[in-house]
Amino acid sequence: MSSSDEFSVKQPKVLIPEVKIQQRLSELAQEINVDYANKPIMAICILRGSFIFFADLIRQLDVPVTCDFLGVSSYGNRSVTSGEVKVTMDIAEPLEGKHLLIVEDIVDSGLTLAYILNMFKTRRPASIKVCSLLLKPESLKATVDVDYLGFKIGSEFVVGYGMDYAGKYRNLPFVGYFEHDH
């Protein structure tokens, strides 16, 4: 049985339950609302893993928000980042002079986020802040700042709440993990 087949029959264990995610998400939205009071922001969803977190977050923002999407890939169908970042879909709007809020599902090695931040800085936004649901501090290979953080986790490979393994498990309402490494 291949590891992909093995993942398809196993159910992940709950790492962060839905209720904790929703509670922390409300707290993050309040922090963002305070920091950006009466300032319009452009919220940028990093596809694909962030789309559920992004949707839940922006619905709780009271500040003027426009949305855009950036598609990047560094995992493919693997459980470990390749370290190579591919832009699969670029931002449609100009970023110059705008307050950017990058919404990320997970900062693992930090390489993808560092790439995105460098790419966006060349487009001269007014400011850039990062909101990430998860951070793996022990896995960082690049120095990146996360301004709004949901949870720090260990090195386990996680799925659910938008995050996948080979396209599966995005629909789970919690963040889960598998008991052994793949």
Side-chain angles (χ1 to χ4, degrees):
M1 183 183 305
S2 75
S3 63
S4 180
D5 292 338
E6 198 171 318
F7 265 104
S8 65
V9 294
K10 290 196 169 286
Q11 280 302 310
K13 302 280 185 192
V14 176
L15 180 65
I16 306 170
E18 181 179 11
V19 66
K20 281 187 77 176
I21 294 170
Q22 295 307 318
Q23 178 184 0
R24 185 65 185 126
L25 193 133
S26 293
E27 295 166 358
L28 291 171
Q30 284 311 312
E31 289 177 42
I32 294 166
N33 284 330
V34 168
D35 289 353
Y36 287 97
N38 300 318
K39 275 190 209 168
I41 62 173
M42 176 182 274
I44 299 174
C45 178
I46 307 303
L47 296 174
R48 297 186 189 158
S50 302
F51 76 102
I52 292 175
F53 177 50
F54 181 82
D56 286 350
L57 180 70
I58 65 168
R59 284 186 294 216
Q60 294 193 38
L61 296 179
D62 298 329
V63 297
V65 179
T66 57
C67 301
D68 213 326
F69 302 86
L70 179 71
V72 294
S73 175
S74 66
Y75 282 87
N77 283 339
R78 301 175 332 162
S79 61
V80 190
T81 182
S82 66
E84 177 185 334
V85 179
K86 287 190 237 166
V87 174
T88 58
M89 184 176 92
D90 204 351
I91 299 297
E93 297 295 317
L95 303 180
E96 187 170 350
K98 296 181 179 170
H99 296 285
L100 306 183
L101 178 66
I102 298 171
V103 180
E104 188 57 290
D105 55 349
I106 186 168
V107 177
D108 190 335
S109 68
L111 297 172
T112 300
L113 182 57
Y115 178 90
I116 292 167
L117 290 170
N118 287 333
M119 181 176 74
F120 284 170
K121 283 176 187 170
T122 66
R123 299 179 188 186
R124 300 193 311 263
S127 67
I128 303 175
K129 288 198 176 185
V130 175
C131 179
S132 182
L133 177 64
L134 304 173
L135 172 69
K136 291 183 175 181
E138 293 104 45
S139 300
L140 286 173
K141 294 178 182 168
T143 303
V144 290
D145 291 325
V146 176
D147 303 283
Y148 309 101
L149 177 61
F151 304 94
K152 289 182 181 178
I153 63 170
S155 60
E156 57 270 287
F157 183 77
V158 292
V159 296
Y161 200 64
M163 296 170 282
D164 76 309
Y165 175 74
K168 297 178 180 80
Y169 305 106
R170 290 189 194 277
N171 60 317
L172 297 174
F174 59 87
V175 173
Y177 69 100
F178 295 96
E179 291 204 282
H180 43 59
D181 294 335
H182 288 274

